[in-house]
Amino acid sequence: MPSVARFSISPVRSLGLQHPTEIDVTEVGVVEDRRFFLSDDTNRLVDRLIVGPLVRIETRTDPGATMLWMRFPDGEVIEDDVELGEAVETPIHGRTGVGHVVVGPWAEKLSAYTGRTIRVIRCDRPGGTRRGNPTSIISDGSLRELAKHAGLDEVDGRRFRMLIDLEGAEPHEEDTWIGRRIALGDAILRVTKPDARCAITTQDPNTGMRDLDTLRTLISYRGLREGKHADFGVLADVEQPGRIRVGDEVTLLD
């Protein structure tokens, strides 16, 4: 059976990924993942659809999101305790991010980096805007199939920013698990549906610059679900929270 090759989390939505060797998944996913997001002074979400090179900024936080660490491409590191200011509700791709503005030194540096006024927002609860499906899965088999249709030797899975990357799988094997439960480490996940992809997947995961038309390639050999969704990978709910480690094998439960 396929096994875990990599985890990817991002404490601040759209910023650089971390790759821990183990994660604790709860009913709302990994509590550090996407706990913060960015908006401008008009309360518009600022993500990589707006500023692709945000991915070059590294971030860390703790499970309680009481501290925030950022390292910028110029080498400057900003780390401080999180102090909350005004409450805010921000539209996020059809959902609402409910949180508080973070008071501190990060906004000024982010504003200079992006060329626009930036606010850092901490979601009031772990999981942020998620409505179920807090975990996501992609396999090396699916990435190989995509690369073949794109005329490439390989496609870097980081561009899809999935929580769990698997190795040792057949092309789109994870799709066959939809509606089924799988065990990974101490956790049990129920795979619920395909993951509809967006234009961020066309960006290089190191630079944030567009370099591969993933969507056109997916549509060319997979078509569109319901006439509008270019799917790649799957989403899953957490039925039993637990720890998952790199190397843990998938076990199909039903």
Side-chain angles (χ1 to χ4, degrees):
M1 291 299 293
S3 61
V4 176
R6 177 174 57 200
F7 301 112
S8 298
I9 66 171
S10 179
V12 183
R13 185 187 184 98
S14 276
L15 274 62
L17 295 171
Q18 290 182 292
H19 304 292
T21 58
E22 59 184 35
I23 57 173
D24 292 310
V25 292
T26 72
E27 291 88 345
V28 294
V30 177
V31 296
E32 299 96 330
D33 192 26
R34 298 189 185 184
R35 188 65 193 275
F36 300 85
F37 63 89
L38 308 180
S39 72
D40 63 17
D41 54 356
T42 68
N43 199 34
R44 181 189 184 191
L45 176 72
V46 177
D47 61 9
R48 285 177 54 202
L49 292 175
I50 306 296
V51 184
L54 285 170
V55 75
R56 299 181 64 203
I57 303 171
E58 299 176 58
T59 63
R60 299 176 192 159
T61 192
D62 60 293
T66 62
M67 60 76 64
L68 183 59
W69 179 98
M70 289 188 190
R71 180 160 61 197
F72 289 81
D74 63 6
E76 182 177 356
V77 173
I78 300 177
E79 180 179 8
D80 207 343
D81 293 335
V82 170
E83 178 185 347
L84 300 181
E86 66 176 297
V88 64
E89 295 188 5
T90 304
I92 299 182
H93 302 306
R95 293 168 289 179
T96 301
V98 178
H100 284 75
V101 174
V102 175
V103 178
W106 305 277
E108 182 178 358
K109 181 71 175 180
L110 286 163
S111 297
Y113 181 77
T114 63
R116 63 190 70 219
T117 300
I118 295 292
R119 303 185 302 175
V120 181
I121 312 296
R122 192 184 81 176
C123 295
D124 283 350
R125 64 175 184 84
T129 62
R130 293 190 182 103
R131 297 172 182 169
N133 302 300
T135 63
S136 54
I137 302 169
I138 192 69
S139 73
D140 60 343
S142 300
L143 290 166
R144 288 195 304 272
E145 188 71 8
L146 176 63
K148 181 180 75 173
H149 286 274
L152 300 172
D153 292 333
E154 62 179 5
V155 172
D156 190 334
R158 294 178 301 153
R159 70 175 60 239
F160 295 96
R161 299 175 73 88
M162 306 294 269
L163 178 63
I164 302 169
D165 284 50
L166 300 176
E167 60 185 0
E170 296 299 318
H172 304 294
E173 182 175 347
E174 61 272 27
D175 290 0
T176 68
W177 304 336
I178 292 173
R180 304 181 70 179
R181 295 186 306 146
I182 63 172
L184 267 176
D186 302 325
I188 296 176
L189 311 179
R190 179 172 291 280
V191 182
T192 56
K193 62 181 181 180
D195 194 355
R197 312 316 311 211
C198 73
I200 286 176
T201 65
T202 68
Q203 298 173 357
D204 183 290
N206 292 316
T207 67
M209 305 305 293
R210 179 170 172 158
D211 69 338
L212 176 62
D213 197 340
T214 51
L215 300 181
R216 186 180 298 275
T217 303
L218 287 170
I219 293 167
S220 73
Y221 81 97
R222 304 205 79 198
L224 288 171
R225 176 168 53 91
E226 300 173 354
K228 57 183 178 181
H229 300 300
D231 295 329
F232 197 65
V234 294
L235 301 175
D237 284 328
V238 179
E239 288 203 354
Q240 176 179 296
R243 179 161 295 182
I244 311 173
R245 302 166 180 84
V246 169
D248 284 344
E249 290 191 350
V250 174
T251 301
L252 294 176
L253 299 180
D254 55 29

